[in-house]
Amino acid sequence: MSRYSIEEFVNATKQQDKGEGLFELETPRMLEINLDGQIWAKAGSMVSYRGKIKFEREGILEHGLGKLFKKALTGEGTSLMKANGSGKLYLADQGKKISILNLQGESIFVNGNDLLAFEPSINWDIKLMRRIAGMMSGGLFNVKLEGRGMIAITSHYEPLTLLVTPDNPVYTDPNATVAWSGTLEPEFVTDVSFKTFIGRGSGESIQMKFSGNGFVVVQPFEEVYYTQQS
């Protein structure tokens, strides 16, 4: 076990400028944003900041009635906040591992619980998985992000990306699915024999099937989602 003097501890753990741009991984589980303007972040993810930064929770009608209605349908507890100003902002989410993606006109679907931050240049929309909403506790929703700019997503432990091809579809556990390429639309399939074999709750009997060309990102952890109570 490492034992540091205070000076050694400070030197080993202090913040370092890596010159990576707007989004920078300060540690694998801490995102540094070199803010000069505005970004969107998961509400409650701010750990620390320096400089002149103002935080504002998203307004009820911030993104129009359509997204408000979808958020009400999903019952999801994830909400966004705006950070405006100039300075360094540090974000984290329950110690989850952070991955930074720089979209160059592509699109990606991200599980709503795994979206940490994104630039305002990114277009986004909430997608409710209606077929599965009544089959899992709390349902499941995701966010489609597209355009040009940086996004940060999170995963419990190291993410694994599986390539999907027309002749080789991929099946995943919805609770372990983090993201997938915007070219894919998952189907939901149930397997009663699999459920019986596992001998656990209904979650294991529902699988997401990805067909076509693209990728899907999974994590070695099953997240449990709860419906937000009003």
Side-chain angles (χ1 to χ4, degrees):
M1 182 176 179
S2 297
R3 299 173 187 266
Y4 291 108
S5 69
I6 288 180
E7 182 180 1
E8 288 170 336
F9 175 78
V10 169
N11 287 333
T13 62
K14 68 181 178 182
Q15 180 264 335
Q16 299 178 17
D17 284 320
K18 300 177 182 177
E20 294 174 353
L22 177 64
F23 283 18
E24 186 174 296
L25 279 183
E26 189 59 34
T27 74
R29 291 168 174 78
M30 185 82 72
L31 177 67
E32 178 185 276
I33 298 177
N34 296 295
L35 188 62
D36 185 17
Q38 175 186 307
I39 59 102
W40 284 100
K42 186 174 185 177
S45 63
M46 189 276 287
V47 172
S48 179
Y49 71 92
R50 65 171 72 205
K52 294 183 178 180
I53 300 176
K54 180 182 177 183
F55 300 94
E56 186 180 342
R57 203 173 186 89
E58 65 176 326
I60 293 176
L61 296 176
E62 179 98 34
H63 310 290
L65 283 170
K67 289 182 182 176
L68 174 67
F69 183 57
K70 281 185 242 183
K71 289 190 74 168
L73 277 176
T74 63
E76 48 87 10
T78 300
S79 58
L80 299 171
M81 65 179 182
K82 284 188 292 187
N84 284 289
S86 177
K88 289 186 180 293
L89 171 61
Y90 297 93
L91 303 178
D93 185 15
Q94 299 181 333
K96 293 162 70 175
K97 188 175 177 66
I98 299 169
S99 299
I100 298 173
L101 305 176
N102 190 6
L103 298 188
Q104 298 290 327
E106 307 101 328
S107 62
I108 187 171
F109 287 93
V110 180
N111 183 303
N113 203 42
D114 300 320
L115 179 60
L116 182 62
F118 57 93
E119 288 190 72
S121 58
I122 296 290
N123 296 315
W124 64 278
D125 195 14
I126 293 171
K127 303 289 183 180
L128 172 63
M129 298 182 182
R130 292 180 179 83
R131 294 181 186 176
I132 202 171
M135 302 165 73
M136 299 177 65
S137 60
L140 201 63
F141 78 102
N142 56 76
V143 182
K144 184 178 184 179
L145 303 117
E146 57 187 338
R148 292 183 176 273
M150 302 187 86
I151 69 172
I153 64 175
T154 61
S155 60
H156 285 278
Y157 311 106
E158 283 67 31
L160 173 67
T161 298
L162 303 168
L163 298 182
V164 180
T165 58
D167 59 341
N168 197 6
V170 173
Y171 296 81
T172 67
D173 180 335
N175 289 329
T177 306
V178 173
W180 58 93
S181 52
T183 55
L184 300 178
E185 282 194 25
E187 300 174 58
F188 292 96
V189 296
T190 56
D191 189 331
V192 176
S193 61
F194 184 46
K195 172 186 174 183
T196 305
F197 174 73
I198 294 295
R200 287 198 270 166
S202 61
E204 284 79 11
S205 68
I206 305 169
Q207 299 154 27
M208 297 174 75
K209 178 184 179 182
F210 294 89
S211 304
N213 284 296
F215 63 87
V216 56
V217 182
V218 293
Q219 61 184 2
F221 185 93
E222 293 183 27
E223 293 193 63
V224 179
Y225 308 97
Y226 299 97
T227 303
Q228 185 180 31
Q229 300 298 321
S230 57

